Amino acid sequence: MKRWIAIVMSFLPLVASAAGFWDGNAALQRGDSSFESGLFAVSDSFAPDTVIEVENLDTGRRARVTVSQGAPSQASILVLLSPKAAEALGIAAGTVARVRVTLAARAPSELASLDQDRIQNP
């Protein structure tokens, strides 16, 4: 039985890393100074501290942003972007852009630190 668990667990990272994307709309969101000073987004579709890559489907420009908090559900908006993130994507204030959002891949160093944390805190 333990053998089957080990086999299933060995395939789990492959399934978890499968590329998925969400298409939707993005708009500029004003927030506090810490929100406006970096590449951030708010969304009710992604957990806080999730790093996502947002691609403006009209311009092809991309930016990696960190979800800082959830947002009130808005049927037509997938992510609300900080001014710097919107600027990086070429989204002007008062406009809505078509975007594709993917979960950003983690760097090997991030994965190693997560593994080390799991070993120390099982």
Side-chain angles (χ1 to χ4, degrees), residues 26-28 77 90-97:
L28 173 68
I77 303 292
I91 300 172
T95 64
V96 175

Side-chain angles (χ1 to χ4, degrees), residues 21-25 55 57 78 98-101:
F21 64 88
W22 296 263
D23 286 344
N25 294 317
E55 177 185 3
L57 295 176
L78 180 61
R98 295 178 322 117
V99 296
R100 175 166 288 163
V101 177

